[in-house]
Amino acid sequence: MPNKEVTYTISELADEFDITPRSIRHYEDLGLLLPRRKGNNTRIYSHKDRIRLSLTLRGKRLGFSLAEIRELFDLYDAEHRSRPQLHSMIAMIDEKRASLRQQQEDIAKVLAELEAADIRAKETLEKMKPHT
């Protein structure tokens, strides 16, 4: 029995990831997705395209730009990985990791400040209650 590759339509991917077909076409225009064409320009997306779409959306949530995501894909896809490419990829990952850690620290500080403000506001309200 022949091994049939799993494929997806643009509508299937849009529904699965809750995004618009236009977004998927945009990612394709940027080279993040590389679907095959069939007949009258119908796009056929592979399992690899589905994974790349998932990684693209995750990368965006983590603060990577589409250009950075494309660069990571290009580095990963390079047929002959070179030391400079790998060093570039590691540097980009280190930079993003540092940025996310800083954001994490900032979020923790803001949450602590909000908690303190909440406590003070509740204490002030308690003091304002009429005594019976």
Side-chain angles (χ1 to χ4, degrees):
M1 187 183 295
N3 182 10
K4 184 165 177 161
E5 178 188 2
V6 177
T7 60
Y8 307 88
T9 66
I10 195 167
S11 297
E12 289 171 334
L13 290 178
D15 289 345
E16 179 180 350
F17 291 100
D18 196 27
I19 59 175
T20 64
R22 182 177 179 170
S23 294
I24 294 173
R25 286 190 295 272
H26 178 66
Y27 300 148
E28 182 184 338
D29 290 342
L30 295 175
L32 296 169
L33 305 174
L34 306 168
R36 292 190 325 264
R37 300 289 179 151
K38 177 181 160 187
N40 61 351
N41 259 353
T42 301
R43 294 166 170 85
I44 305 296
Y45 295 90
S46 67
H47 183 68
K48 180 179 178 180
D49 289 316
R50 185 187 167 282
I51 291 170
R52 287 173 70 124
L53 178 57
S54 175
L55 291 172
T56 297
L57 296 173
R58 183 177 302 143
K60 283 182 57 182
R61 282 193 306 273
L62 293 174
F64 283 90
S65 71
L66 292 176
E68 289 170 324
I69 294 166
R70 167 71 194 267
E71 186 177 345
L72 286 170
F73 284 166
D74 289 347
L75 290 170
Y76 183 80
D77 288 343
E79 192 171 321
H80 302 291
R81 293 186 183 171
S82 67
R83 284 181 178 274
Q85 287 173 316
L86 291 172
H87 284 295
S88 176
M89 186 175 195
I90 290 167
M92 186 183 298
I93 290 168
D94 286 344
E95 184 178 313
K96 186 53 68 176
R97 183 182 297 125
S99 173
L100 288 170
R101 285 189 177 136
Q102 182 61 55
Q103 288 176 358
Q104 190 175 32
E105 288 176 23
D106 293 343
I107 289 169
K109 288 176 185 175
V110 169
L111 286 172
E113 290 170 8
L114 288 172
E115 183 64 26
D118 184 54
I119 290 169
R120 283 192 307 272
K122 287 176 181 173
E123 287 172 350
T124 301
L125 275 175
E126 189 62 34
K127 290 176 186 175
M128 295 175 140
K129 280 186 179 177
H131 296 284
T132 56

